[in-house]
Amino acid sequence: MPLFICFCLVLLASAGIALWPLWVRRRRERIASRPFPQSWRRLLRRHVPLVSRLPARQQLRLKGLMQVFLAEKPILGCRGLRVTDEIRVTIAALACLPLLGSARGLYPELRQVLIYPGAFVVDRPVTESGGVLSDQRRVLAGESWSQGQVLLAWDEVKRGASTPGDGHNVVIHEFAHQLDQAGGPANGAPALPTAEAYRRWSTVMQNEFDALRWRLARGEPGLIDPYAATDPAEFFAVISELFFERPIELAAGHPALYAELSSYYKLDPASWN
């Protein structure tokens, strides 16, 4: 192949790579600007009452994000579950809630959502005494994989969506893990803009994590679910559920924690109520 043709092909490929983000952004803008289906509005009102708490501007942004999410992220039924509009709209609304305040991308590493009728079983490798590696079988309602998949149990998704004040929401939990897993394994420290932001985050989260474990050791009740004491990644996911579902109580009982989450999500859900 002549050198000139090779040079032109390289230029075209480079131009395509450079223009790809612009094309994606404009495509998403077109999708988000489409009229939101009336049938989806009814599904939101009936099945995701948390959305009604949002200010009108945030509701409008959420609907645009939902349309893009559903255009790009396949939701696949497992174990014979047929994926309906109720399932798609419910999952999309709750998955997009953590994206409302910041243009951090639409879960760029997520390839698909797998939805089961109920709890599902996964095998996880664990290292036992003596360094022996074996599979541990666990029954779960949700799971976020860094390989680009989120697994959800529909009965738990439905229950969490219908009871927005109980502080438990498996979709918010697993998609908080997706944010945490962007760029690497979940460790309780999602992407932050500066080194100072990381230092502040680390200090507040470690203090709150230690305080939770101290309270649990003493048998003292508290707002934060004991599961948050499992590790820093689970701590971030659990407090994200509280941030969106019980923000006033979280802000009152854990003001520094609430402030960090508010800064990260660029939202103040305590003001929505």
Side-chain angles (χ1 to χ4, degrees):
M1 184 180 293
L3 183 61
F4 177 75
I5 295 177
C6 291
F7 179 70
C8 290
L9 289 174
V10 170
L11 282 180
L12 286 171
S14 300
I17 292 171
L19 292 174
W20 177 253
L22 177 62
W23 183 88
V24 170
R25 185 173 73 249
R26 289 183 174 175
R27 175 181 176 274
R28 288 177 171 178
E29 288 171 352
R30 288 195 300 272
I31 294 171
S33 65
R34 293 172 183 168
F36 196 75
Q38 189 61 38
S39 61
W40 290 9
R41 294 177 190 272
R42 290 192 292 269
L43 289 170
L44 280 179
R45 286 195 298 268
R46 188 178 307 132
H47 301 294
V48 196
L50 180 57
V51 174
S52 65
R53 295 183 188 173
L54 303 179
R57 180 176 58 84
Q58 296 286 18
Q59 290 191 35
L60 186 62
R61 172 164 164 75
L62 180 69
K63 290 169 181 174
L65 285 169
M66 287 174 60
Q67 292 186 105
V68 178
F69 182 93
L70 290 173
E72 295 186 359
K73 310 297 183 182
I75 298 177
L76 308 177
C78 301
R79 284 209 318 244
L81 180 67
R82 184 175 68 87
V83 176
T84 63
D85 274 355
E86 178 188 350
I87 291 174
R88 297 174 74 244
V89 168
T90 300
I91 291 174
L94 296 170
C96 291
L97 199 59
L99 305 179
L100 269 181
S102 177
R104 57 168 53 92
L106 199 76
Y107 304 111
E109 297 180 8
L110 178 66
R111 293 185 292 105
Q112 59 189 11
V113 178
L114 306 180
I115 183 82
Y116 291 78
F120 51 90
V121 175
V122 298
D123 291 325
R124 277 185 176 171
V126 294
T127 303
E128 299 177 347
S129 58
V132 178
L133 192 67
S134 64
D135 285 336
Q136 183 184 71
R137 182 155 290 192
R138 298 186 61 190
V139 179
L140 301 173
E143 181 93 323
S144 174
W145 292 353
S146 56
Q147 297 92 337
Q149 291 179 316
V150 169
L151 289 68
L152 298 166
W154 171 238
D155 58 356
E156 278 300 308
V157 171
K158 196 172 181 179
R159 185 204 59 75
S162 64
T163 55
D166 67 354
H168 298 287
N169 190 295
V170 69
V171 180
I172 293 174
H173 184 105
E174 299 307 334
F175 278 88
H177 280 319
Q178 276 290 303
L179 294 173
D180 194 4
Q181 289 167 330
N187 60 6
L192 297 170
T194 65
E196 175 57 32
Y198 274 111
R199 284 192 291 270
R200 188 174 61 246
W201 178 277
S202 177
T203 299
V204 171
M205 295 298 161
Q206 189 64 58
N207 289 342
E208 290 281 353
F209 185 71
D210 292 342
L212 172 63
R213 287 190 157 183
W214 182 84
R215 287 195 300 272
L216 292 175
R218 293 171 62 90
E220 296 181 1
L223 176 66
I224 302 174
D225 190 279
Y227 186 62
T230 304
D231 57 45
E234 296 301 342
F235 185 79
F236 171 59
V238 169
I239 61 175
S240 292
E241 295 176 77
L242 289 171
F243 180 73
F244 287 102
E245 290 218 342
R246 300 177 70 176
I248 293 176
E249 292 160 274
L250 185 64
H254 305 268
L257 188 58
Y258 181 88
E260 283 302 305
L261 291 173
S262 184
S263 176
Y264 171 69
Y265 284 114
K266 300 293 189 294
L267 294 169
D268 182 18
S271 67
W272 298 345
N273 294 270

XYZ file of all heavy atoms in Angstrom, residues 98-144:
355
model
N -27.911 8.319 41.473
C -26.586 8.796 41.899
C -25.857 9.657 40.867
O -24.825 10.247 41.193
C -25.815 7.483 42.142
C -26.858 6.454 42.392
C -27.989 6.852 41.483
N -26.364 9.735 39.642
C -25.716 10.517 38.586
C -26.302 11.915 38.445
O -25.812 12.705 37.635
C -25.848 9.786 37.240
C -25.342 8.349 37.171
C -25.584 7.779 35.771
C -23.866 8.259 37.536
N -27.336 12.209 39.206
C -28.079 13.457 39.005
C -27.224 14.709 39.139
O -27.375 15.649 38.373
C -29.223 13.546 40.027
C -30.579 12.986 39.632
C -31.572 13.188 40.763
C -31.083 13.642 38.359
N -26.330 14.730 40.113
C -25.656 15.983 40.429
C -24.344 16.211 39.721
O -23.805 17.311 39.779
N -23.797 15.205 39.067
C -22.469 15.349 38.487
C -22.389 14.653 37.140
O -22.879 13.536 36.988
C -21.416 14.751 39.433
O -20.134 14.805 38.867
N -21.757 15.307 36.182
C -21.587 14.729 34.846
C -20.366 13.817 34.843
O -19.335 14.113 34.240
C -21.447 15.832 33.801
N -20.457 12.684 35.560
C -19.308 11.789 35.689
C -19.394 10.618 34.722
O -18.656 9.646 34.840
C -19.188 11.275 37.134
C -20.415 10.551 37.650
C -20.097 9.841 38.965
N -19.511 10.716 39.954
C -20.209 11.390 40.863
N -21.524 11.308 40.888
N -19.603 12.141 41.737
N -20.295 10.674 33.768
C -20.438 9.570 32.826
C -21.573 8.652 33.225
O -22.072 8.686 34.351
N -21.968 7.843 32.294
C -23.122 6.971 32.511
C -22.633 5.541 32.743
O -22.860 4.661 31.937
C -24.065 7.037 31.304
C -25.491 6.551 31.547
C -26.291 7.591 32.321
C -26.185 6.240 30.235
N -21.936 5.347 33.872
C -21.362 4.038 34.196
C -20.638 3.473 32.965
O -21.065 2.474 32.379
C -22.449 3.076 34.678
C -23.233 3.594 35.860
C -24.574 3.955 35.738
C -22.626 3.731 37.107
C -25.284 4.440 36.827
C -23.345 4.219 38.196
C -24.670 4.571 38.045
O -25.378 5.051 39.129
N -19.555 4.109 32.561
C -18.903 3.749 31.291
C -18.442 2.304 31.212
O -18.310 1.762 30.108
C -17.720 4.717 31.214
C -17.514 5.216 32.615
C -18.864 5.227 33.235
N -18.168 1.673 32.339
C -17.686 0.294 32.302
C -18.819 -0.728 32.366
O -18.578 -1.929 32.227
C -16.706 0.062 33.455
C -15.462 0.934 33.341
C -14.493 0.717 34.478
O -14.707 -0.216 35.277
O -13.523 1.487 34.574
N -20.048 -0.269 32.580
C -21.185 -1.182 32.691
C -21.648 -1.624 31.306
O -21.958 -0.808 30.445
C -22.339 -0.494 33.420
C -23.621 -1.316 33.566
C -23.405 -2.518 34.470
C -24.757 -0.444 34.096
N -21.707 -2.939 31.105
C -22.144 -3.487 29.819
C -23.583 -3.970 29.851
O -24.288 -3.883 28.849
C -21.218 -4.641 29.394
C -19.801 -4.218 29.072
C -18.987 -5.378 28.547
N -18.753 -6.395 29.576
C -19.365 -7.567 29.635
N -20.265 -7.896 28.724
N -19.096 -8.436 30.590
N -24.036 -4.508 30.989
C -25.393 -5.034 31.053
C -25.825 -5.221 32.502
O -25.005 -5.306 33.414
C -25.487 -6.371 30.318
C -24.566 -7.445 30.858
C -24.535 -8.676 29.981
O -25.029 -8.693 28.864
N -23.943 -9.752 30.488
N -27.146 -5.251 32.676
C -27.753 -5.524 33.977
C -28.500 -6.845 33.858
O -29.314 -7.022 32.940
C -28.727 -4.401 34.391
C -29.377 -4.729 35.736
C -28.003 -3.058 34.452
N -28.212 -7.765 34.755
C -28.883 -9.057 34.777
C -29.889 -9.059 35.926
O -29.516 -8.775 37.068
C -27.878 -10.189 34.949
C -26.731 -10.237 33.942
C -25.810 -11.414 34.232
C -27.264 -10.313 32.517
N -31.131 -9.371 35.619
C -32.189 -9.306 36.621
C -32.801 -10.684 36.823
O -33.210 -11.347 35.869
C -33.253 -8.249 36.231
C -34.320 -8.120 37.301
C -33.841 -8.486 34.864
C -33.924 -7.236 38.428
N -32.823 -11.126 38.075
C -33.373 -12.429 38.458
C -34.720 -12.224 39.154
O -34.963 -11.168 39.740
C -32.421 -13.150 39.407
C -31.127 -13.602 38.781
C -30.083 -12.705 38.555
C -30.931 -14.928 38.420
C -28.889 -13.119 37.983
C -29.737 -15.362 37.845
C -28.730 -14.440 37.633
O -27.549 -14.852 37.062
N -35.598 -13.229 39.135
C -36.884 -13.083 39.834
C -36.701 -12.864 41.335
O -37.445 -12.102 41.951
C -37.601 -14.400 39.553
C -36.907 -14.990 38.368
C -35.493 -14.522 38.427
N -35.734 -13.564 41.935
C -35.474 -13.459 43.361
C -33.994 -13.644 43.623
O -33.163 -13.486 42.721
N -33.664 -13.978 44.860
C -32.264 -14.148 45.238
C -31.576 -15.162 44.330
O -32.178 -16.135 43.880
C -32.179 -14.589 46.691
N -30.305 -14.933 44.069
C -29.536 -15.790 43.185
C -28.270 -16.241 43.904
O -27.869 -15.678 44.932
C -29.181 -15.066 41.881
C -28.539 -13.723 42.096
C -27.159 -13.603 42.207
C -29.313 -12.576 42.200
C -26.566 -12.381 42.417
C -28.728 -11.336 42.413
C -27.354 -11.242 42.527
N -27.651 -17.262 43.360
C -26.471 -17.861 43.987
C -25.233 -17.545 43.159
O -25.250 -17.660 41.928
C -26.640 -19.388 44.120
C -25.369 -20.028 44.669
C -27.836 -19.726 45.004
N -24.177 -17.126 43.827
C -22.893 -16.921 43.155
C -21.819 -17.673 43.935
O -21.929 -17.868 45.152
C -22.510 -15.427 43.059
C -23.518 -14.658 42.237
C -22.354 -14.812 44.434
N -20.810 -18.108 43.229
C -19.660 -18.762 43.851
C -18.499 -17.780 43.866
O -18.110 -17.255 42.820
C -19.265 -20.016 43.075
C -20.298 -21.119 43.212
O -20.893 -21.228 44.294
O -20.526 -21.847 42.225
N -17.963 -17.541 45.065
C -16.846 -16.623 45.209
C -15.615 -17.370 45.699
O -15.707 -18.159 46.640
C -17.183 -15.524 46.220
C -17.979 -14.368 45.648
C -18.135 -13.312 46.695
N -18.803 -12.130 46.201
C -19.218 -11.132 46.986
N -19.036 -11.221 48.291
N -19.815 -10.092 46.476
N -14.466 -17.122 45.085
C -13.242 -17.765 45.586
C -12.829 -17.161 46.927
O -12.823 -15.934 47.089
C -12.213 -17.453 44.497
C -12.735 -16.224 43.812
C -14.224 -16.288 43.903
N -12.533 -18.005 47.888
C -12.051 -17.553 49.194
C -10.804 -18.353 49.549
O -10.650 -19.509 49.161
C -13.121 -17.734 50.294
C -14.309 -16.834 50.045
C -13.559 -19.187 50.394
N -9.920 -17.712 50.288
C -8.696 -18.374 50.741
C -8.902 -18.867 52.165
O -9.133 -18.068 53.071
C -7.497 -17.418 50.676
O -7.366 -16.919 49.339
C -6.225 -18.131 51.075
N -8.850 -20.170 52.334
C -9.045 -20.758 53.644
C -7.705 -20.909 54.354
O -6.649 -20.548 53.822
C -9.749 -22.112 53.502
C -11.124 -22.003 52.850
C -11.781 -23.362 52.659
O -11.077 -24.383 52.801
O -12.992 -23.388 52.374
N -7.757 -21.434 55.574
C -6.528 -21.627 56.334
C -5.567 -22.539 55.563
O -5.984 -23.496 54.913
C -6.853 -22.259 57.691
O -7.517 -23.494 57.518
N -4.314 -22.196 55.615
C -3.312 -22.954 54.873
C -3.142 -22.491 53.450
O -2.399 -23.087 52.676
N -3.876 -21.404 53.082
C -3.735 -20.860 51.735
C -4.489 -21.608 50.670
O -4.262 -21.391 49.475
N -5.408 -22.498 51.068
C -6.187 -23.273 50.103
C -7.296 -22.404 49.522
O -8.064 -21.779 50.260
C -6.796 -24.532 50.763
C -7.649 -25.288 49.755
C -5.698 -25.409 51.320
N -7.383 -22.353 48.195
C -8.402 -21.562 47.505
C -9.607 -22.441 47.193
O -9.471 -23.531 46.628
C -7.836 -20.981 46.210
C -8.678 -19.912 45.512
C -8.759 -18.640 46.355
C -8.094 -19.585 44.145
N -10.803 -21.969 47.595
C -12.015 -22.740 47.325
C -13.153 -21.789 46.990
O -13.069 -20.582 47.244
C -12.392 -23.608 48.529
O -12.723 -22.793 49.634
N -14.232 -22.320 46.418
C -15.404 -21.526 46.084
C -16.369 -21.503 47.263
O -16.658 -22.546 47.867
C -16.123 -22.095 44.859
C -15.377 -21.778 43.575
O -14.629 -20.790 43.583
O -15.548 -22.502 42.587
N -16.842 -20.319 47.594
C -17.836 -20.158 48.648
C -19.153 -19.747 48.008
O -19.232 -18.748 47.300
C -17.394 -19.096 49.655
C -18.352 -18.919 50.816
C -17.915 -17.788 51.725
O -18.006 -16.616 51.361
N -17.424 -18.136 52.910
N -20.185 -20.524 48.240
C -21.491 -20.245 47.629
C -22.265 -19.270 48.500
O -22.390 -19.469 49.709
C -22.258 -21.552 47.451
C -23.611 -21.394 46.774
C -24.031 -22.672 46.091
N -23.190 -22.928 44.926
C -23.464 -23.851 44.015
N -24.533 -24.613 44.139
N -22.672 -24.023 42.976
N -22.783 -18.198 47.853
C -23.535 -17.187 48.599
C -24.846 -16.889 47.883
O -24.916 -16.861 46.651
C -22.718 -15.894 48.715
C -21.414 -16.055 49.468
C -20.740 -14.718 49.665
N -21.566 -13.813 50.456
C -21.294 -12.519 50.616
N -20.245 -11.983 50.027
N -22.080 -11.767 51.346
N -25.882 -16.644 48.675
C -27.190 -16.260 48.151
C -27.310 -14.746 48.288
O -27.187 -14.205 49.387
C -28.330 -16.968 48.917
C -29.683 -16.527 48.367
C -28.176 -18.480 48.834
N -27.540 -14.061 47.169
C -27.482 -12.604 47.144
C -28.734 -11.986 46.518
O -29.429 -12.625 45.729
C -26.265 -12.145 46.343
C -24.885 -12.617 46.836
C -23.824 -12.212 45.835
C -24.583 -12.060 48.211
N -28.965 -10.711 46.867
C -30.020 -9.927 46.229
C -29.447 -8.950 45.216
O -30.185 -8.371 44.423
C -30.825 -9.165 47.285
N -28.135 -8.774 45.244
C -27.490 -7.872 44.307
C -25.994 -8.097 44.296
O -25.419 -8.565 45.285
N -25.377 -7.753 43.178
C -23.933 -7.931 43.034
C -23.455 -7.006 41.917
O -24.099 -6.885 40.877
C -23.616 -9.388 42.678
C -22.146 -9.703 42.527
C -21.497 -10.201 43.795
O -21.875 -9.686 44.877
O -20.652 -11.088 43.722
N -22.344 -6.349 42.149
C -21.739 -5.494 41.127
C -20.386 -6.061 40.779
O -19.551 -6.281 41.659
C -21.590 -4.062 41.651
O -20.880 -3.261 40.724
